[in-house]
Amino acid sequence: MMLKILKVSGFSLEPDFQDGDYVLIARWPGWGPRVGQVVALHQPAYGTLLKRVWSLDPAAGTVEVRGQHPHSVDSRTFGPVPIGSLMGRVIWKISKPAAHPPLKGKGKD
């Protein structure tokens, strides 16, 4: 089994995944993508991306991936990707901490 932690960068999967969140990616023998899963992939022109599986073409060995944002860089931009370029699927998300104002003490320092 392969496990990898990635930091979400960008807004293509908002509101489910926010810029600054972390995700745990897993891949194991016999794993295969399914429509609707969020996967990490390496796309040569754009690097490591986090996208949702939109469609599969097992005969061609390709998958179409998309972000939720209408202007996401995804298969609408670069076309279907080989299934072998998928690093695995998201199995856990760690949300970035919410921004809080500094705590103010009630006593003297």
Side-chain angles (χ1 to χ4, degrees), residues 7-93:
K7 184 175 183 180
V8 176
S9 177
F11 305 96
S12 72
L13 288 174
E14 279 191 344
D16 296 337
F17 298 87
Q18 304 284 324
D19 186 60
D21 289 347
Y22 287 87
V23 291
L24 180 61
I25 306 297
R27 184 180 180 123
W28 53 91
W31 172 81
R34 285 187 267 153
V35 172
Q37 287 180 333
V38 176
V39 296
L41 66 132
H42 179 73
Q43 206 289 329
Y46 297 98
T48 301
L49 302 173
L50 198 65
K51 303 294 175 187
R52 193 172 300 278
V53 175
W54 185 260
S55 67
L56 296 164
D57 185 346
T62 60
V63 60
E64 186 178 345
V65 295
R66 291 193 182 178
Q68 290 169 211
H69 192 278
H71 300 293
S72 173
V73 174
D74 52 31
S75 288
R76 294 171 285 194
T77 305
F78 49 74
V81 297
I83 290 175
S85 69
L86 302 180
M87 299 163 58
R89 74 176 182 97
V90 173
I91 60 168
W92 195 268
K93 177 181 93 165

